[in-house]
Amino acid sequence: VARLQLWVARPLLWVARLQLWVARVQLWVARLLLWVAPPLLWVAPPLLWVAPPLLLVAPLQLWVAPPLLWVARFQLWVARPLLWVARLQLWVARPLLWVARLRLWVVRLLLLVAQLLLWVARLQLWVARLQL
């Protein structure tokens, strides 16, 4: 019987410990709320003063919302083809960028060859002056 009582008592002890932990957390939250509550009580009266005009605006918002939703759907309807066009432009622009980079490398290579030819011409001129 004692073993059965121990077998039942252990889970009950775990539950009691869990309840104690929950009670400590609740106490901590209650202390925090006691610290936060006074400033909230100062804010509450102005909010009560602002609420009725906001309630008057709510039906107007419900009246305005459907046309705004229609406008948003139209914008999406227009935006999708523009997105497709932008993707097509990117698809075309990438190879053009590759071609431009290749042309830049060719120009750099030609510039290097021109500098080499200029250096050779200066060397030939220097040799010709020495021969005179």
Side-chain angles (χ1 to χ4, degrees):
V1 174
R3 287 183 184 171
L4 181 62
Q5 287 175 338
L6 279 175
W7 187 72
V8 171
R10 284 185 185 138
L12 292 177
L13 183 62
W14 295 335
V15 170
R17 287 179 182 161
L18 180 64
Q19 288 174 342
L20 182 62
W21 184 80
V22 169
R24 287 180 182 156
V25 170
Q26 288 176 341
L27 182 62
W28 183 78
V29 170
R31 287 179 181 157
L32 181 67
L33 288 177
L34 283 175
W35 185 73
V36 172
L40 291 179
L41 289 175
W42 298 333
V43 173
L47 289 178
L48 289 174
W49 182 74
V50 171
L54 292 179
L55 289 175
L56 292 175
V57 172
L60 177 65
Q61 290 174 336
L62 288 175
W63 183 73
V64 171
L68 293 179
L69 186 60
W70 297 335
V71 169
R73 287 181 182 155
F74 177 72
Q75 288 174 339
L76 279 175
W77 183 73
V78 171
R80 286 186 184 120
L82 293 178
L83 183 61
W84 296 336
V85 169
R87 287 180 181 155
L88 179 64
Q89 288 174 339
L90 278 175
W91 186 72
V92 170
R94 285 185 183 123
L96 292 177
L97 182 61
W98 296 334
V99 169
R101 287 179 180 159
L102 181 64
R103 289 176 66 189
L104 181 62
W105 279 106
V106 168
V107 167
R108 287 179 181 165
L109 184 63
L110 289 174
L111 183 60
L112 186 64
V113 168
Q115 288 176 347
L116 183 64
L117 290 175
L118 182 62
W119 184 76
V120 168
R122 286 180 182 165
L123 184 63
Q124 287 175 347
L125 183 62
W126 182 73
V127 168
R129 284 185 185 160
L130 285 178
Q131 288 176 352
L132 289 178

